[in-house]
Amino acid sequence: MKKILRNTLLISLAFILIGCSKTQSKEEILQEKYKVIESFFNAYSKKNYEEMYKYCTKEMKEGFTQTVKAIPTANLIVEKKITTITHEKKEYISVKLIVEATIKSSIYPGDLWLIDVLVEKVDGKWLITHYTTG
């Protein structure tokens, strides 16, 4: 009888703890994603590509390895309000960059560049998984 009571109490406690666990609001999640973008472009602006690659997937690293040849630096213009846009049913964060472009770049000599960045959880960590250009 004591065993049944103890097990019942343990199960009840587990449900209470699960029910009381804090879930993140959409705004908190958006802020976390934006911090990844800020960290990525902070490293990019310093041409610290190895640090930059910590914030994106392996596939994105391969793509950006080609991008940095044409666009050696990109400085994020930090916005107070985070703007999102939906592409293919996924929420991207729209950002503005001031870029330095080489002659190899289609945006040479560089200036303002608008892109939409997708940040998703990969193995429990927020990473840049895709971006689109306007």
Side-chain angles (χ1 to χ4, degrees):
M1 185 66 162
K2 286 182 182 181
K3 198 175 193 180
I4 293 172
L5 183 59
R6 181 185 61 135
N7 288 341
T8 303
L9 286 173
L10 287 173
I11 291 170
S12 298
L13 181 61
F15 280 114
I16 290 169
L17 291 174
I18 290 170
C20 293
S21 65
K22 185 180 183 262
T23 56
Q24 289 184 300
S25 70
K26 183 177 178 179
E27 184 61 32
E28 290 171 322
I29 292 169
L30 196 57
Q31 289 292 334
E32 283 185 12
K33 290 178 176 184
Y34 194 74
K35 284 180 185 175
V36 169
I37 294 169
E38 282 183 306
S39 298
F40 177 87
F41 284 107
N42 184 41
Y44 198 163
S45 70
K46 296 174 184 171
K47 298 183 181 184
N48 185 348
Y49 304 130
E50 286 309 309
E51 179 68 21
M52 181 180 96
Y53 295 142
K54 292 178 183 177
Y55 301 100
C56 61
T57 61
K58 180 182 175 188
E59 295 78 19
M60 287 302 298
K61 176 183 175 181
E62 291 167 5
F64 273 113
T65 300
Q66 298 302 315
T67 301
V68 298
K69 291 176 184 173
I71 305 170
T73 63
N75 296 292
L76 179 67
I77 299 172
V78 178
E79 302 280 352
K80 288 183 180 181
K81 184 179 184 308
I82 301 171
T83 305
T84 61
I85 189 165
T86 302
H87 294 287
E88 299 176 4
K89 299 182 182 178
K90 293 186 178 187
E91 185 179 54
Y92 286 67
I93 296 174
S94 298
V95 298
K96 295 175 186 170
L97 307 168
I98 299 292
V99 297
E100 168 198 341
T102 66
I103 201 160
K104 296 177 187 177
S105 172
S106 63
I107 60 172
Y108 179 78
D111 197 7
L112 185 63
W113 193 28
L114 306 172
I115 65 170
D116 300 319
V117 182
L118 180 60
V119 179
E120 298 178 294
K121 266 213 173 149
V122 177
D123 297 327
K125 184 177 177 183
W126 290 113
L127 296 173
I128 296 173
T129 58
H130 191 256
Y131 76 95
T132 64
T133 58

